[in-house]
Amino acid sequence: MYRQGDILILQVTAESVPARLESAPRDARGRLVLALGEATGHAHAVPGPGTLLLSRASGLPEFLHLPDGGRLVHEEHATISLPKGWFRVVRQREYVPGAYHRYVAD
Amino acid sequence: MSTPVLHPRVAAHLADAAAEWDLAAHATGPADRSAAEEGVRAAYHAAGLREPRQIIWFASPAQAATAAVVLSGGAEARAAVRGSALLPPALLELNAGPLVRDLVRSTPWEKVRAEAASALTPTAWAAAWEFVGAGFWPQVNRLVGEIRRGIGRLTGEAGPAPARTAASHVQREPDDPVEGLLRRATLDAVLGQHDAPWLAFFDGLARASLIDIAPLDGVLRVSRAAGWWWPFEHVVLICERPAELRRDDLGRLHHAVGPALAFPDGFGLHAWHGMPVPAGFGATMADLSPAAIRRQDNAELRRVMLEHYGLDRYLRESGADAVHKDDTGVLWKADLADDEPLTMVEVVNSTPEPDGTYRTYFLRVPPWVTTARQGVAWTFDIPAEQYQPRRQT
């Protein structure tokens, strides 16, 4: 389990990843963007090889495959080295009374 | 006593250069146009190019980036920005030729950098950079990043205000094609005054007679006199410096009333102690109340409001109690009239800010939460006992 700001990365088995998920496109700088800060525009991103899969329900990044391992970078947080394998990507949320929930807008 | 890695004479030259270039990086007011244009021509000569036929001035890097999209892009890019009010129509017909940034800036830059690398040991390089760049580089680099983002947002539906309400979207859509074009155009710019940290490094070493910076003479001259510029084979787009730049005592962009950075055409950035905020946010800070803070949906903006109001004061006035504390943070609860209790975890960012401080966040969690770990784990939708990050930053 790795945490970079409002993103939590959990290592999972390949078998637990649903089949036929859509891959997320890379951004203009060729990176896999796990989450983009709403206020700052800063991104949690993986610059190297790998695949990012989108959740069927939300359309947001949910699984990350790094066949050779990789690095999670962000403009304001230290870089985290990730081993090779499959990961679930969880974005931090916040409680709102009366609402369902929302994600932290950083 | 150990021998200093840098000779005191070299260190003194670096310090002088850093002080001068710090002023250049943060200079405001009209560009010295003739000095900048001479610098441009010198850079073209040094690159073995013909002088540009036209040097066109812009009031801001936002205008110039839009023009750069037109000049460097194909028909599609031109069509995308055709309606932009920022552009003189004549620009659409201009034949600028290809971008020659590599020849004008990057090749001589690399030559000087390689010379510096061979003149210094790796330790001395690090020491010299530390001497010049520590503090100066992160500030200028951050400013450049904010300007780039501001330019990228120009055409987005969000307008210039960076923060939207939480109800809108969980993620900002980064794929607006015009935003992409503009962002890319900002990467093609020579940064003029904002190349200052590196130029201070080279200049200091040159003053100490360790390297020759003649190949960068033109670039240095533009940087002392103007803002960002885009060198095309036949045409140069070049920008004025900001009309206004306001920073706090730590050098971060900050202004309570109006933009912290403003160019003569009105393009600007609003910021509160380095945090990008929507226009008008500063004015609301004058009469904050716990209720106003609770109403703020954006966690970052709420953090800024809380800091300004005073965390102790806020929690005292909300009648909050620290009900639990562990290595993940502190859990606070405050009873609210006609509402369920306000329950928040106070967490500290693991990565220090450029100024060495750590950001404190308050995240609202469900009222049934009883421990800080349970609260933090809930924000990631996992059970408390599972929340054990191996590494966090």
Side-chain angles (χ1 to χ4, degrees):
Chain A
M1 182 181 297
Y2 305 85
R3 176 172 172 191
Q4 190 182 59
D6 56 355
I7 287 288
L8 192 71
I9 309 277
L10 301 137
Q11 192 145 25
V12 295
T13 60
E15 295 73 41
S16 68
V17 179
R20 294 192 302 280
L21 288 180
E22 195 189 325
S23 338
R26 286 175 182 264
D27 73 353
R29 288 152 69 185
R31 309 174 306 171
L32 298 168
V33 176
L34 277 56
L36 195 66
E38 187 174 291
T40 60
H42 291 168
H44 300 275
V46 174
T51 318
L52 187 61
L53 300 171
L54 302 175
S55 152
R56 272 199 205 113
S58 66
L60 294 173
E62 189 181 17
F63 291 100
L64 174 67
H65 185 212
L66 298 175
D68 307 314
R71 290 180 307 123
L72 180 61
V73 301
H74 187 274
E75 287 83 344
E76 291 180 332
H77 296 278
T79 298
I80 293 181
S81 293
L82 296 169
K84 62 181 176 187
W86 281 91
F87 302 88
R88 187 157 77 86
V89 179
V90 183
R91 179 110 195 237
Q92 193 167 36
R93 61 181 177 170
E94 199 178 3
Y95 177 73
V96 177
Y100 198 51
H101 67 249
R102 68 181 184 84
Y103 291 90
V104 174
D106 81 335
Chain B
M1 241 178 77
S2 61
T3 315
V5 175
L6 281 179
H7 191 281
R9 194 180 58 83
V10 177
H13 282 303
L14 286 165
D16 286 348
E20 277 176 35
W21 283 101
D22 184 86
L23 291 177
H26 299 106
T28 54
D32 181 342
R33 292 193 173 193
S34 62
E37 292 184 7
E38 277 172 32
V40 165
R41 283 191 283 268
Y44 273 64
H45 280 300
L49 294 165
R50 275 192 205 175
E51 281 183 13
R53 283 184 217 138
Q54 260 182 293
I55 298 178
I56 308 175
W57 283 87
F58 290 84
S60 75
Q63 280 191 6
T66 315
V69 168
V70 171
L71 296 190
S72 59
E76 204 179 316
R78 289 181 185 226
V81 294
R82 188 170 285 273
S84 170
L86 299 168
L87 288 181
L91 206 76
L92 293 164
E93 313 309 328
L94 216 55
N95 171 22
L99 197 71
V100 291
R101 182 177 183 270
D102 280 354
L103 292 171
V104 170
R105 186 257 196 198
S106 304
T107 307
W109 186 286
E110 177 50 29
K111 199 172 166 211
V112 170
R113 199 198 63 82
E115 205 185 323
S118 64
L120 298 172
T121 62
T123 337
W125 174 285
W129 178 251
E130 182 75 14
F131 217 84
V132 173
F136 182 30
W137 160 257
Q139 275 175 20
V140 177
N141 189 43
R142 196 167 176 151
L143 184 61
V144 168
E146 299 298 354
I147 293 172
R148 287 199 166 122
R149 266 185 289 285
I151 293 171
R153 279 194 301 266
L154 277 179
T155 57
E157 79 286 10
R164 289 189 268 164
T165 57
S168 56
H169 299 290
V170 287
Q171 275 200 306
R172 222 169 75 76
E173 179 55 61
D175 297 328
D176 177 75
V178 182
E179 179 177 341
L181 289 169
L182 282 170
R183 283 209 183 202
R184 244 166 287 149
T186 66
L187 299 176
D188 290 336
V190 183
L191 296 178
Q193 66 180 146
H194 295 147
D195 273 330
W198 272 103
L199 297 179
F201 177 79
F202 295 148
D203 192 12
L205 295 176
R207 290 175 194 210
S209 308
L210 288 175
I211 61 169
D212 173 19
I213 50 169
L216 276 178
D217 179 55
V219 171
L220 284 150
R221 283 155 72 177
V222 181
S223 299
R224 287 195 185 95
W228 296 16
W229 52 295
W230 279 259
F232 291 90
E233 190 182 354
H234 309 307
V235 175
V236 169
L237 312 177
I238 187 164
C239 297
E240 284 291 341
R241 295 182 290 206
E244 250 184 281
L245 175 70
R246 294 167 188 265
R247 299 185 291 154
D248 66 8
D249 52 358
L250 294 172
R252 302 172 299 188
L253 277 184
H254 173 73
H255 192 39
V257 185
L261 175 78
F263 284 88
D265 63 341
F267 170 74
L269 302 169
H270 292 259
W272 186 270
H273 296 296
M275 165 83 188
V277 297
F281 179 79
T284 66
M285 298 290 262
D287 53 352
L288 277 183
S289 65
I293 294 168
R294 278 196 296 274
R295 276 198 304 272
Q296 174 55 251
D297 285 328
N298 183 305
E300 278 264 346
L301 297 182
R302 196 172 58 232
R303 173 186 63 79
V304 172
M305 292 164 91
L306 276 167
E307 274 175 14
H308 185 63
Y309 192 73
L311 299 177
D312 291 0
R313 181 181 168 204
Y314 173 79
L315 291 166
R316 194 170 60 241
E317 292 186 10
S318 331
D321 297 311
V323 295
H324 185 261
K325 188 175 180 180
D326 59 31
D327 59 352
T328 66
V330 181
L331 184 71
W332 294 88
K333 256 182 214 273
D335 287 323
L336 299 174
D338 305 320
D339 201 352
E340 61 188 34
L342 172 70
T343 310
M344 297 183 103
V345 276
E346 177 187 349
V347 292
V348 179
N349 220 356
S350 305
T351 303
E353 296 294 293
D355 61 21
T357 59
Y358 287 83
R359 284 191 195 184
T360 300
Y361 286 88
F362 282 81
L363 297 170
R364 193 160 184 182
V365 295
W368 47 260
V369 166
T370 55
T371 70
R373 176 175 300 278
Q374 192 184 16
V376 173
W378 180 89
T379 66
F380 288 114
D381 201 15
I382 59 173
E385 58 278 12
Q386 237 183 56
Y387 182 73
Q388 298 289 351
R390 178 197 299 245
R391 175 156 156 69
Q392 51 183 333
T393 68

